[in-house]
Each structure stands twice: as C-alpha cells, then as structure tokens.
Amino acid sequence: MRPGHATAAAIGECMPNILLTTACNQSCSYCFAKEKLQQKGAMHMPPEHVDAVFEFLKISGVDTFRVMGGEPTLHPGFREIVTRALSEGFFVDVLSNGTWPAELNTFFAKVPPSKMRFLLNVDHPEAYRDAQWKRINQNLEAISGRPAVSLSFNLFSTTPKGEYVLDLVEKYRFSTVRLCFSLPVLNTENASMPLADYFKMPDFIIGYVRQAESRGIAVHIDNAVPLCIFDYAQMGELLLKGVLDLSRNARCKAIIDIGPDLSVWPCFCLSSFENRRLDEFHHLSELQSYYERQLAYHQDKVFPMERCYECDLRMKWGCQGGCTVFSMVQAVPPRHSTGDRITAPTRRSTEEMRETWRLRLADNITVHRHEVPVLQFMLRDSSGKYLELGPSFARLLEGADGSKSLRTLCRELFPEPDVADALECFEAGVMRENLEKLLEVYIDEGFFHLDPP
C-alpha cells in the first residue's frame, strides 16, 4: 500500500493560506505571522505569482481562495485579485484585522455572502487609538448581519478579557467566535501562552462557551490543544457543542502557507521550518504529504510532556500534546527500556538519522509470507492497516532487526560494484537513494521504526 493523494474533499479545512502581502498596519504582540513580517521591507505578491497560485489551486481541486497577510487589504491589487477569484469560481476567505479603508465596504457589499467569508482578528479596544477603533466598528457595521463572519479571540494570558468579542458579535449580528491559543513562533519572539498554562484555562473556556451560548453565539477552538487539560465532563460538553473537534484539535495538520514570493511552509508557527517553493510540487496533496513526512517525528515520536507517552488520549485519538511547535522547542525525549533518557537533540537531520539510527519493524507489525502466485510479503499492524512488499524486500525484512542503520542496510542491499564501472556505480547509488526515501515513507506510515543510537 503506497500513500495516496487526498482529494479536495478530504483536505477539508486544510485549505492553503495565500499571503498577498507581508505589509501590516498593526503590531500585535502575539502575531503568529511575525517571522515573515519581520523580513526586510513589505512584499506584495506580484501578478505572475498570483497567476501561479490560481493555477496551483485549480490543479489541486481546491475551490477556496483564502487570503491573508500581513493585512491582505493593503495589497494594492486586493480588489482586482478578489474579483478574479470570484469570477473563476472560487469561494473567497478574507483573514483580516478589520482596518480596511472605507471604500472597500462598497466593494464587499457587491459580493453575495454565499461567495465570501470573513475571519477578523479584533483585539481589545484598549489596544487601539480612538480613530482605529472607530474605523473597525464602521467596517463591522458595513458587513453586519452577513452569516459568514467570525471574530477571533486569542488567548495569551491566563486572565483574558474576552467579553468585548461577544459584545461585538452580538452588536453586529454575527454568529461565531474562533477561540485560539496564541502559540509560539519558531525562532521568533512573540507573546504566547506557555503549555503549562493551558491547564489553567478549562474553567475559563467552559464559562466563556456558556456565556456565548446564552447570547446565541457559537465558539470553536481552532488549534491543537492537549486534550488532557479537560476532564471528561468538560470534554464531553465541548465536543457536543462543537467547540472541540477531534479531527481539528487533537493533531496539527499541514495547512500550508504560500508567501508572496511563492515560498511555502507548513504553518505560521513553523514559518522558518523547511521553506520550499510552490513550483517544486504538482498539487496541494503532494505538498501536504511532504510536510506531514517532515513533521511526523515531532508528532509521533517525541512529545512536549512526559505524560504524553502513556496517555490514552494520544493512543486513541492521536493527540500530540498541543501544537507541533511545542514538540520542537520543549520536547521531552522518550525513555529507553532501562529508564535512561535519550540525550539527542529534539530535531535531528534526515542525514544523521539515516546514518546512525537503527532500523527495525515497528512493535505492532506482523509479517505474513504468501507464495501464490509469486512470493509476496504483507506487513499488517494491529488496526488492520497493511503494506504489501514484493520478493525483493526479503533481505530487507531479515535485516530490519534493530542492529543496523537505515543507510547501512541500504548499502548492504545495493553495494558498490567490485569493478569501478561508472554506470553501475551510478545505478547502485540511485537504487540506494530511492530505497532510503521509500523506507522513510514506510517509517512515517508506522510500519518501520528508527531507534536512536
């Protein structure tokens, strides 16, 4: 079984974010886009890159054009880009701070609510000058009553002031609040909530949800959270009310952000992690699969809290203990059977792991040998997931006993030829490289495991 490509329907909420610009007219202390916004000068996406994004989304079967920044409305061609997206059949998501110029309200009024959605990040009134707060309220008034408008409330303090969001939602006849823990951004300083403080927040969240419910307002939590911060009664209430969704809140997904220069990364918290180029990939599912492989170690092998390793919620629901960034910046390594801790750094290079970490079959894998009509092996895990391998993998299965590194085993399977023939050496090298990459896919899928040296 080889990894398949997700359909647009399967991608679901994982629509990519398109950064039309890195310019912004606010300076929120918790800004999740800070790493990109700190780059020298403001960068607007040029027309040829807009064309490339449209083409990529079409090939990928994506029907939503989700724009953000910075502040996307600062792009000089914002109106024209949105008009084009609508004319080409895209639904448009606008992620904004709500400070757009008044003339855009006339434009928005021409777009039917069924074609455009707003997610607005509005801070506490104390964060604005009087003129800014007036402008935000005028803009909210201009789009009041539209069904597809949500306001975002960011938690970066254990004593949050969130009632103003409910007041705005009620006043302007919106319906939804996105509750989001402010997360650390890798390699950047921003205001965020430490993971330890998450355990202080359930009572506030329950109270806030109930207060919102009494005012006819729905709340949903946007990012991955450690499910263990809630007791069973709290979790049951939040699940039944749609505040929590295990497919969204237990595990991070590679959302994919696309920058004005067509650089791509898995999400804003990891905006400095493994940046690639959009034109390196054929479609969105290929791009998401790439980052899922890159992040698998930090989602399935190391966790931000020691309790995660034996947690039933992790084993049953795939909970990773909060956003993946926590596993990168404060990972607690697993224990050996002797109780000794692994002293390796939390993030190892692929090259180092290929060379020194030892390959073995995963613990829950059984190997079944079939001989009719030809020799074939089936690897099956305890859930019934399986992988079929041909006869050429017989020596690999024998050698994957935890005694050899991935690279050593590949060298043994495809050794350098005795005679230094350039073509044969090249072919052996290609075979080794392809096998290494294939084994990494099988490791990510859970059929094989790498043990630290």
Side-chain angles (χ1 to χ4, degrees):
M1 182 184 69
R2 295 296 303 277
H5 295 306
T7 63
I11 292 170
E13 294 183 346
C14 294
M15 300 294 180
N17 298 315
I18 295 94
L19 276 73
L20 291 185
T21 180
T22 58
C24 192
N25 52 4
Q26 299 294 310
S27 56
C28 303
S29 61
Y30 55 83
C31 178
F32 54 84
K34 185 169 287 191
E35 192 272 335
K36 292 303 178 186
L37 270 58
Q38 285 177 341
Q39 294 177 357
K40 186 177 180 180
M43 180 188 300
H44 302 309
M45 182 175 283
E48 62 273 18
H49 289 176
V50 175
D51 292 342
V53 170
F54 276 124
E55 184 64 23
F56 184 82
L57 296 180
K58 290 176 183 177
I59 291 173
S60 301
V62 174
D63 60 3
T64 298
F65 188 70
R66 179 180 291 164
V67 295
M68 62 187 308
E71 169 52 40
T73 61
L74 292 178
H75 191 290
F78 173 80
R79 190 181 322 199
E80 290 73 20
I81 293 171
V82 170
T83 299
R84 177 180 170 187
L86 293 167
S87 66
E88 296 197 20
F90 287 97
F91 181 90
V92 175
D93 262 359
V94 178
L95 281 64
S96 169
N97 60 26
T99 62
W100 58 77
E103 55 266 24
L104 272 181
N105 288 322
T106 303
F107 171 66
F108 291 146
K110 296 178 181 179
V111 181
S114 62
K115 301 295 184 181
M116 180 178 284
R117 178 168 51 222
F118 294 85
L119 175 59
L120 306 178
N121 192 66
V122 180
D123 281 344
H124 194 277
E126 296 173 355
Y128 302 98
R129 299 189 302 272
D130 289 344
Q132 290 177 314
W133 185 243
K134 181 179 179 181
R135 165 56 52 206
I136 289 171
N137 276 269
Q138 287 173 339
N139 289 341
L140 295 181
E141 177 64 39
I143 60 172
S144 65
R146 293 178 73 111
V149 180
S150 297
L151 298 192
S152 182
F153 177 40
N154 298 281
L155 299 175
F156 55 92
S157 164
T158 56
T159 56
K161 301 176 181 178
E163 191 167 353
Y164 78 95
V165 178
L166 301 181
D167 292 340
L168 291 173
V169 170
E170 189 172 46
K171 178 179 179 180
Y172 294 113
R173 295 179 290 123
F174 304 139
S175 59
T176 309
V177 172
R178 182 189 76 161
L179 195 62
C180 186
F181 285 87
S182 293
L183 299 164
V185 178
L186 195 65
N187 299 324
T188 301
E189 293 294 328
N190 69 311
S192 60
M193 181 171 288
L195 192 58
D197 284 351
Y198 281 47
F199 292 85
K200 303 174 184 177
M201 301 309 296
D203 288 343
F204 169 82
I205 292 172
I206 291 292
Y208 194 75
V209 167
R210 291 174 180 174
Q211 184 182 5
E213 184 180 38
S214 70
R215 301 167 73 166
I217 300 168
V219 177
H220 72 265
I221 295 176
D222 187 61
N223 51 281
V225 298
L227 299 180
C228 61
I229 68 175
F230 303 107
D231 63 34
Y232 280 103
Q234 291 170 334
M235 188 178 297
E237 179 176 349
L238 296 177
L239 286 170
L240 289 172
K241 291 180 176 178
V243 180
L244 281 178
D245 182 331
L246 293 176
S247 67
R248 179 181 68 239
N249 300 122
R251 183 181 180 89
C252 291
K253 297 178 181 178
I255 300 297
I256 308 302
D257 297 320
I258 304 173
D261 59 352
L262 297 188
S263 59
V264 294
W265 56 90
C267 69
F268 266 119
C269 292
L270 306 178
S271 55
S272 61
F273 175 82
E274 295 288 341
N275 278 213
R276 302 296 294 268
R277 296 278 305 174
L278 187 67
D279 56 12
E280 296 178 46
F281 303 89
H282 296 96
H283 44 73
L284 181 61
S285 59
E286 180 184 0
L287 179 49
Q288 289 175 327
S289 295
Y290 169 79
Y291 278 117
E292 286 169 3
R293 294 194 298 273
Q294 298 301 311
L295 296 174
Y297 177 70
H298 298 282
Q299 292 182 305
D300 299 316
K301 300 295 186 293
V302 297
F303 302 98
M305 298 179 289
E306 187 168 349
R307 64 194 296 168
C308 294
Y309 289 93
E310 302 299 327
C311 180
D312 288 341
L313 295 172
R314 178 182 71 81
M315 297 175 186
K316 291 179 180 177
W317 302 111
C319 178
Q320 60 186 38
C323 179
T324 307
V325 69
F326 287 118
S327 290
M328 291 190 172
V329 300
Q330 62 181 60
V332 175
R335 294 179 180 272
H336 288 300
S337 57
T338 60
D340 297 329
R341 286 197 178 278
I342 297 173
T343 56
T346 60
R347 181 182 173 192
R348 289 179 173 269
S349 70
T350 301
E351 286 298 305
E352 181 182 358
M353 293 178 72
R354 287 178 178 177
E355 193 70 56
T356 63
W357 290 44
R358 301 183 300 275
L359 182 73
R360 63 174 172 83
L361 282 171
D363 293 334
N364 64 336
I365 297 297
T366 57
V367 180
H368 305 268
R369 179 186 175 107
H370 305 282
E371 298 181 354
V372 179
V374 295
L375 179 63
Q376 188 166 325
F377 300 92
M378 178 183 290
L379 277 56
R380 185 185 294 272
D381 70 10
S382 54
S383 71
K385 180 181 177 182
Y386 67 90
L387 170 69
E388 294 180 352
L389 300 175
S392 61
F393 282 84
R395 289 176 59 202
L396 170 68
L397 295 175
E398 292 175 1
D401 58 2
S403 65
K404 301 171 184 176
S405 73
L406 184 154
R407 180 153 289 168
T408 297
L409 192 53
C410 290
R411 287 189 186 122
E412 291 180 358
L413 294 173
F414 296 102
E416 294 290 342
D418 295 334
V419 180
D421 179 87
L423 179 58
E424 291 184 5
C425 288
F426 173 76
E427 290 177 344
V430 170
M431 294 297 289
R432 282 195 300 273
E433 182 178 357
N434 287 340
L435 181 57
E436 288 179 0
K437 293 179 179 178
L438 186 60
L439 284 172
E440 288 177 352
V441 173
Y442 294 158
I443 290 167
D444 293 344
E445 292 185 330
F447 293 103
F448 291 86
H449 184 72
L450 286 176
D451 289 325

